[in-house]
Each structure stands twice: as structure tokens, then as C-alpha cells.
Amino acid sequence: MTDYTDTARQILATNDRGGYTVPTDRLYPFQWNWDSAFVAMGFATYDVPRAYRELERLIEGQWADGMIPHIVFHTPSDTYFPGSSVWRTHHSIPTSGITQPPVFGLALKRVHDTAISQGLTDTRRRSRILYNAALRWHRWWYAARDPENTGLVALLHPWESGSDNSPAWDIALARVSTTTETTVARKDTGHVDAAMRPHDEDYRRFIHLVDTYAACEWHPERQWAAAPFKVAEIQTTAILLRSGEALLEFAREFGLDSDAQQLETFNARSRSALLAQWRPQLRRFVSRDLISGDDINAPTQACFCPLLALDLEQTMLEAATAEMNDWSDGLSVLFPSTQPTYSGFEARRYWRGPVWAVINWLLMDGLQRNGKDAMAEKLRRSTVLAIETKGFAEYFDPLTGEGCGGLGFSWTAAAYLWFLE
Ligand code: DGY
């Protein structure tokens, strides 16, 4: 075990709050949905029972309709805004009212496969409970967020993408009012340099959306009708499809034929919908703004996430990877969350340019799936070097390599452990 591996494990231990892991102390003092899925895969490299526990604690927050919220507020903390009282949800354990990228199914499969390879007891029972929760969530995604069966699932809040202030939302979010019923009392800028975080105006819009959906009592159909922000999103759909493939393997292994049939239908629909979002002249995939009906042409990391769940034909693959190489030219760390030559690029501001280890993890998976092993290896080495040079930061400046945002970050530690496997 290297010193860095040891540090990564220590970070996960320090951020453990009793079977679940906070992303980092104070800035994010609760359990976050997709963070926990990545963290579970990190734990799977050395402590599989703890990896299961991470996922089990997350589904304590699952709603009756199947939605798994983006935050589970297991224990109170006053270091974060918006806390549970802003969300006004009605779950027995306080949660937020929106969701986050469904990495869960993919994580569960990896935890399960590791448990099987180690011959651990109780594996099938634990996996089966988590599989049921994941399938209920996938059904929720397709019912609540794709009511017209297009195959692309929609986000009603930028936070649901995990890429909060991405340039991808600039046009769609500008339509959302900056007025709020809730007082916006940010805490994040007390923990992290404001120049690395979203602007106040973004926050007013984020909270306007929370107020709007709380007024709908978080009812999916009322939210769908009231939503001033509605984006059919390719990164989320790709993750959902990749997790859907994992769930299909479970359904077959467990002999659950009708589940398998339903998952095949979901997966086939999303696969063809994602493929239809390819734009040859841009050499990338695009999301769609469902309110204007327009393509979202802002160049972000999401444009390459469909590789995760698609087996691309050669021309498309060569074009997408050539585009990725162009974006990477001259950078200290790969892969930027926004194309560096784009007007909206900001090297240190959260999702407007910085490199995120977990995005690299998804991109690497997609590149490997499509036979681009050398490029995946380039991303892996770049991420490992950034972490070993600058520490386990939340994200990295692609121009200078500087570690930015929160420090001692759980998902960066988890990614490091996975990358060293
Ligand atoms: C935040 O508060 O910064 C989160 O990204 C929202 O989940």
C-alpha cells in the first residue's frame, strides 16, 4: 500500500459519520447521493461490507415513489445551506426533494462482483435489497422524468445533474426568476473561496426552483407542469443506461424475468435516444432544452459521457475522441468540464472548467468500453498525478493543476483507490 492509498483510506475514515460518508467536513455535512455511489466503489477496493453499508444508508432516504434524493440529512448540521427546513419534504428521515445522477446501479454491480469474487457471506441477500431499491428508482426516472417515453430523462434543477453551474445551463437557467420566498443565506462561500463557487445570482435561481417545487409538495406531475427549468440531459441518461445495464445483469442472475423485460425496454429506448443526440458537425452529443426545444450546444464534459453506455461505430468514435484530444491540448490536468476555448470557460469555478476525478472515472469507463484504452490510461495517469501532487481536492484547475474547492474530499479519495486497483 502506498502512502497516498493510506491517505485516501484515512480521508474516507475521517469523513465516515456512521456507515455513510460525507463528501467533506463542513462544506457538505450530510450524505450525498452520487458521491456515496462513488465512495462505495472506493470502499469496495478494501472493505466490501463497508461499501454495502454506504449504499444501504443512502436508501434509508428513498421516497415511497422510488426517488432517491440528492441529500439525506441523517443528522443536523448548521454548516450547509439549503438545509432540511428549506426543502420542506415529508420523508421520515429529512431529505432534499430533488435527485442526482443514478450511479448507484453501476456501483452496486461492482460492489457485488467484488463480494462474489471474495466469497463473502450474505452477498446475494444484501445485493437483492439494494437491487430492488435501484430498480424502483429507475422506474421513477422513466415515469416522472420521461413521461412521454422519449428515452432521455429530464432534470428539473441544475443540482440534479451534479454539475450545478455548468455552462450547459446558462440559457435555460437565465429564464428562471431570481426572486425567492426563502432567504438565501449561503454557507459555502464561508468554507471555500467565492471565486471557485457559483455566483449569488445562480443561487437565487437554484432556490427559486426549490421554492417552486416545494409549493407543488414535491408531487412529480405537478412539478413537471410547473417547472421553469426542464432539460433532457445526456450525462444523466448515459449514467442511467449504464446502471440499467448493470441492473439487467442482476435481474438475469436473480431469475427475475419480468424485471429483465422491463429493463431491456428502458435500456433500448435510452440507447436509441442517446444516439439521436449525436451531432456530427460538433463531434459530440448534446442535451435538449425542453422549454425552448433547442439543442444545448455549450461544450461540456457531459457531451462525451454517452460513451459510457454506447458502443459507438468507428466514425463517431474517432470524431468524439479527436474532439476530446483537441480540448486537452496544452492542459496540465485532463479532462476539463468545459472546453477551454469556450467563452464560458472558467478554470477554477466549480463546474465551468475544472477537472473532476469522478468525471474522469466515467469517461475512462466509456473510453475502455469503446476500445480506447490508451486514452483512458492518459486520463487515469493525469488524475493520479494531480492528486499525488496537489492532494485530495474536490476538483483541479486544468490550466495550473491547482487543487480547488473542498479538501480531504471523499470522492477524490475513492477515485484514487479505484484508479490504483
Ligand atoms: C451544493 O450545495 O453545492 C451542491 O452541489 C448541491 O447539491
Side-chain angles (χ1 to χ4, degrees), residues 128-384:
R128 179 69 186 265
I129 292 169
L130 293 166
Y131 159 82
N132 287 341
L135 181 60
R136 287 179 55 222
W137 189 24
H138 282 228
R139 287 180 177 141
W140 174 87
W141 271 109
Y142 284 102
R145 297 309 181 82
D146 184 23
E148 285 160 21
N149 297 334
T150 67
L152 294 181
V153 292
L155 309 180
L156 304 187
H157 195 300
W159 283 343
E160 294 193 311
S161 68
S163 312
D164 307 6
N165 63 339
S166 169
W169 321 134
D170 285 356
I171 295 173
L173 194 60
R175 270 185 232 118
V176 174
S177 164
T178 54
T179 59
T180 62
E181 286 159 30
T182 302
T183 307
V184 178
R186 295 180 66 173
K187 303 270 174 84
D188 57 317
T189 43
H191 306 304
V192 166
D193 181 352
M196 297 180 184
R197 297 287 304 174
H199 292 286
D200 281 347
E201 193 173 294
D202 299 326
Y203 258 77
R204 288 201 295 276
R205 294 192 160 103
F206 295 155
I207 299 304
H208 178 90
L209 291 171
V210 173
D211 288 341
T212 304
Y213 304 140
C216 298
E217 296 172 315
W218 301 103
H219 190 286
E221 284 163 21
R222 288 176 61 194
Q223 284 178 251
W224 187 264
F229 178 94
K230 201 185 283 179
V231 169
E233 212 268 325
I234 48 174
Q235 177 172 298
T236 311
T237 302
I239 293 172
L240 185 70
L241 173 54
R242 183 67 194 83
S243 282
E245 290 177 339
L247 296 187
L248 180 57
E249 286 183 53
F250 273 118
R252 290 188 177 135
E253 186 179 330
F254 294 144
L256 303 168
D257 295 342
S258 70
D259 286 6
Q261 265 174 21
Q262 186 177 35
L263 285 161
E264 274 165 11
T265 307
F266 288 160
N267 293 354
R269 201 187 289 153
S270 287
R271 194 167 292 123
S272 45
L274 270 180
L275 270 173
Q277 293 308 109
W278 172 253
R279 296 292 173 269
Q281 67 287 10
L282 298 177
R283 303 196 299 182
R284 56 180 190 257
F285 293 86
V286 298
S287 293
R288 188 171 342 109
D289 183 331
L290 291 182
I291 292 184
S292 65
D294 295 337
D295 278 359
I296 293 179
N297 286 331
T300 71
Q301 86 290 337
C303 304
F304 305 103
C305 282
L307 270 75
L308 182 64
L310 298 177
D311 303 304
L312 296 187
E313 52 95 354
Q314 209 55 28
T315 327
M316 231 185 232
L317 179 61
E318 294 309 327
T321 49
E323 184 70 12
M324 286 180 78
N325 274 327
D326 283 356
W327 293 24
S328 306
D329 204 28
L331 297 183
S332 292
V333 189
L334 309 179
F335 187 76
S337 49
T338 302
Q339 183 184 26
T341 51
Y342 183 63
S343 55
F345 172 84
E346 291 180 76
R348 298 163 81 232
R349 196 180 293 282
Y350 212 39
W351 285 92
R352 300 188 71 86
V355 171
W356 296 75
V358 294
I359 291 297
N360 285 354
W361 189 341
L362 298 176
L363 293 174
M364 280 160 51
D365 250 36
L367 289 164
Q368 279 161 348
R369 173 186 188 129
N370 283 280
K372 291 286 180 187
D373 292 348
M375 198 163 170
E377 179 56 16
K378 206 166 128 190
L379 278 192
R380 192 190 72 86
R381 268 201 259 125
S382 182
T383 322
V384 165

Side-chain angles (χ1 to χ4, degrees), residues 28 32 70-71 80-81 100 159 164 197 203 350:
Y28 297 118
W32 258 260
H70 100 295
I71 308 175
Y80 177 78
F81 173 85
Q100 243 184 354
W159 283 343
D164 307 6
R197 297 287 304 174
Y203 258 77
Y350 212 39

Side-chain angles (χ1 to χ4, degrees), residues 46 75 97 311 394:
Y46 64 102
T75 51
D311 303 304
E394 185 176 2

